[in-house]
Amino acid sequence: MNDYSNDLLEEALGLYNFTNPKADFIRHNENITYSVTDGINKYLFRIHAEAEELDFSFYRGNFDRETLIKSEIDLLNRLLVGNKITVQCPVKNKIGEYIYRLKNGYLVTVLSWLDGETLAHLEFTKELVFQIGQMTATLHKSIDILPSLNRCYYDDEFVDKFLAELKITNELHHIPTETCDKIEKITTQLKRILKREKTNFTIVHSDMSKSNMIYNSGTISPIDFSMCGYGIPEMDLGDLVFMIGNSELEHSLFTGYESVSTHKINKDYLKICEAFGVIQYILIHHKQLYSDERFQNKIAKWSTTIFDPLL
């Protein structure tokens, strides 16, 4: 943290009806996030500013950032009304608004804090994975109660952006040319699928990771809807398969999902979406991490264990 970040935080905290707020830095990726404690109350505080060298513009579609943040707030409020899934509650500032623009132009939002722990330190069991499947299906079904939202469409045009970034990655020699060729083949396959399935899109979280799910007293709640958009269900399920990393537990995930949803999981789509989740990570982070040996080792591993079997 630097003085500039502290000044931003101080300005932002002054916008809310806090008495004696204490902020703890969490992380900085697509947002600068803090946990803020004020007496007995706790909040998630977000300053919407991307970390240097990270580019999340892929996920904005044709919308500006403020429009997307407004639609995210709308999504959370409507999910709260539906009461089918536990999500964070947006918090209004002193002037009764959910979003405020700081002097430097950054936007600020605050959400209620969800008690519990992320899945990062929990052991995946059949029961837990079954619950994750049920929660994911419940989220996907929520499109039935939602109006059309200003969110990214994870369609063939979305995939084109990654193909363009792949060309840049290859030209910069940030990852091996052989791996670039594999990524291009897989991404082109997905492009054809998404173009064919566009009329069957549903709402998807698009960032299903261990850190974006909270477990508390037997309930699993998704958090961080900043990348939420419209796509095929297999996009979220592919992320979950990769996250769980245990083929013996996949059946529990699918059974849990299909116990809530009528959607029949397409296993061919699933494997391509699992690979594309990895591809997105590579292409978003290559400018920041290309010189990191650990990053290159991960790419080599994924190329062998995920890309090669699929191709």
Side-chain angles (χ1 to χ4, degrees), residues 41 53 153 187 214:
N41 299 314
E53 295 292 347
Y153 269 78
T187 305
I214 301 295

Side-chain angles (χ1 to χ4, degrees), residues 6 19-20 64 77 93 170 184 252-253 255 284-285 305:
N6 289 333
T19 304
N20 186 28
D64 61 75
N77 281 328
N93 56 31
N170 194 20
E184 182 178 14
S252 297
L253 175 69
T255 303
I284 288 171
H285 292 85
T305 60

